[in-house]
Amino acid sequence: MSDVEEKFEAGQYEGVVTLLSGRARTAREHSLLGISLLNTGRLEEAELALTKASLLGDPEGQVELGNVLRLLGRFEEAASHLQTMAPGLSGEVLLRCLRWWGVAEFQAGQTAEGLRRVERAWHGYVALGNEEWTARVTVSLAQMYTLLGNPRRAKLLLSEAVGVLPTLPDPAPRLSALRNLLELQIAHGEFAEARETLWEAKRTLKQADSPRLRALLMTSEAELLRLNGDYPTYIHVLEELRPLAESLQDHNLRVWVVSRLAEHQSLVGQHGRAVDTLLGFGSVPAEWPAELWATSGVVARRRGDPASAVADLERAAQMFREAGTSPELVRVQLHHAAAALQLRQEATVASALKEALTHMLRLRQLGEFRPDLEELSELLHYAVLEPEIAPYMEPLLDRLAHLAGAPTLPEDGVITVQVQTLGRQAVHKDGEEVRFTYGGTVPLLVYITLSPGRTRAEMQLDLFPEKDPKSGAAYMRQCLKELRDRLGAQIVRFEGPHQAPRYFLGRDVHVDLDLHALREALARRETARALALYRGPFLPDLEDSEWAEGLRDEALLALTLELRRQMERVQAEGDHRRVVLLANQYLRIDPFESEVLELRLRAAETFAPPHELAKYTADLRRLFN
């Protein structure tokens, strides 16, 4: 075996490029050079070398030329080339041809044909008995199942592939499997598992000399940062990734980076920069892929041009619909509905939102849509009280309780924790729940957030009045110590005399409190967000505290008063269907309110079918019996 072949088999692709650049003469040498250039991310040079190999009749070069054309975004050209080559191929090279042919068809929007062709390749590799090559095709199948909305099947295939694919000599297939598994974990909000997979992928990446693989892994890392709300690091990764994507000339990677960078720029109000970033993609808008049309529509909506937004988002939705890519279609239709709502195009709102919600219910995952749902709270407020859309919203309401307004952009060095107090108490930091030994630790953090500047004795009296001063003081010290141990020493600071200091949150601490979010939602009349946030009484496990009881009553009263105001308004307008919808939401919170039970029954008598009337009548009778 020659030095070139040895380096190629060992995955030393830069060494192969060094030996063959300007020196390749035979079909095999051009093929080895082209595949090595492909694996190091130099796609345009790889296309030239593989074209020569293909013309000289090297079967592997012919197949990998189709793969390069696919990576350059020329999907139809790739599929056509591989279709032409297939009749003259046999063995493993034919199976590889079927794999890339199917992937190219899938990416060109011919999803059913592409999936069938890759499955044929997979069956062929299984028959050959080569576990590693089978696992490589398994990764392609998993990517397709993910895009087609079958994440369970995709995760099963990827877990199998990760267990088979080796780190050496070629770590690229294993990295691809790990990255796709990471993407699924991120989409399902499994952030702790995602961090472990990211760590394993970075460890594997150290064995690869491939800027392209590094760039692809950076996209997954960026998405994990975005969903965790770490926007400063997120934008840093995007800006580092953009020149790398341009140098690699990977079509899909360039589309991803440009669309994400432009969208973030518009999110922080830099609409001009966002448009400039989109136009910097290089092709004229008429030739844009769906992702760029989607981003253009979101940018237009945010800068106050809903008419342009609707046009762009309708175009993107149709392209995603034809390609069968559900998650992308969901995001587009949510923003499409929001833009149409600004134009008061109720029929368009209903159509777009029903399609988005239907796919969300089928996918059973909300994690990747969280920033969009937070941004579009007005749309959700509209949807929960719209008779045509409300049935789709009902199953989702309980899973929307994380909504807390528009995404925040924390400053560097700021500690941000999310605290849930309504229905249950929980603290999350960096996307993971922090558990405490003492039941009073979370109430203490909440108290300091809501009532800063109190002494330890004052806090104990409000929170734990059943404890005597001595045991109460000891318990307070334990809770304060646990707060610092679990969340960082700077979480709480104190001022004043040593004997009776007053406690405050640390200067670089931000607490996202669901009670604050509930008050804000009610002040803005954002009913859907308020209903999603209210999961039950404030700090339900904290007993004997008049302070907690007062806040419980305040939260419940504010929400029920807002619902009553809205019921009175729609009743006066004669909108009986919305009266029933509002009453149903009220009775989820307080099921024994006779006045609301009676109001619901009277409203339902004007339109509801017999079985619904019977249920409402039974609910009312049960109260009095």
Side-chain angles (χ1 to χ4, degrees), residues 41 44 241-250 253-255 257-258 277 280-282:
E44 292 180 338
L241 193 50
R242 189 179 185 186
L244 183 56
E246 294 295 336
S247 68
L248 291 170
Q249 286 300 298
D250 184 314
L253 182 60
R254 291 184 66 238
V255 168
V257 175
V258 167
T277 297
F281 180 71

Side-chain angles (χ1 to χ4, degrees), residues 119-234:
E119 285 177 335
R120 276 182 58 199
W122 185 77
H123 291 150
Y125 278 113
V126 171
L128 283 180
N130 188 316
E131 287 192 350
E132 182 178 338
W133 279 102
T134 302
R136 294 186 183 200
V137 183
T138 296
V139 175
S140 293
L141 273 179
Q143 290 173 308
M144 292 178 171
Y145 282 122
T146 300
L147 292 171
L148 292 173
N150 191 348
R152 181 176 299 179
R153 173 72 170 156
K155 188 178 289 188
L156 182 66
L157 290 170
L158 289 169
S159 298
E160 178 183 307
V162 168
V164 172
L165 292 166
T167 300
L168 293 172
D170 182 8
R174 177 175 172 79
L175 268 171
S176 180
L178 284 166
R179 178 175 170 267
N180 281 279
L181 181 59
L182 173 60
E183 293 278 305
L184 278 175
Q185 290 167 337
I186 292 171
H188 286 79
E190 300 167 358
F191 296 144
E193 295 89 338
R195 290 190 187 93
E196 291 180 9
T197 304
L198 178 62
W199 179 88
E200 176 62 21
K202 286 185 173 182
R203 190 182 70 83
T204 304
L205 184 64
K206 291 178 182 178
Q207 307 298 324
D209 184 14
S210 173
R212 181 172 174 274
L213 292 175
R214 181 167 69 88
L216 290 173
L217 188 58
M218 287 171 70
T219 65
S220 302
E221 183 176 12
E223 181 67 357
L224 184 57
L225 291 165
R226 182 181 79 92
L227 292 177
N228 273 317
D230 187 354
Y231 289 101
T233 312
Y234 170 67

Side-chain angles (χ1 to χ4, degrees), residues 588-619:
R588 287 173 69 233
I589 301 162
D590 184 0
F592 305 112
E593 179 54 65
S594 59
E595 184 180 338
V596 176
L597 285 164
E598 291 173 357
L599 179 63
R600 181 177 68 172
L601 180 57
R602 288 199 306 273
E605 285 171 347
T606 64
F607 70 89
H611 71 273
E612 193 173 341
L613 284 174
K615 178 184 180 303
Y616 296 157
T617 302
D619 288 345

Side-chain angles (χ1 to χ4, degrees), residues 323-336:
T325 49
S326 297
E328 291 83 355
L329 180 59
V330 168
R331 286 198 71 236
V332 165
Q333 290 297 68
L334 287 171
H335 286 273
H336 183 197

Side-chain angles (χ1 to χ4, degrees), residues 326-327 329-330 354-364:
S326 297
L329 180 59
V330 168
K354 280 196 291 184
E355 185 173 18
L357 295 173
T358 299
H359 283 298
M360 287 169 73
L361 288 168
R362 182 174 62 81
L363 292 170
R364 298 196 175 280

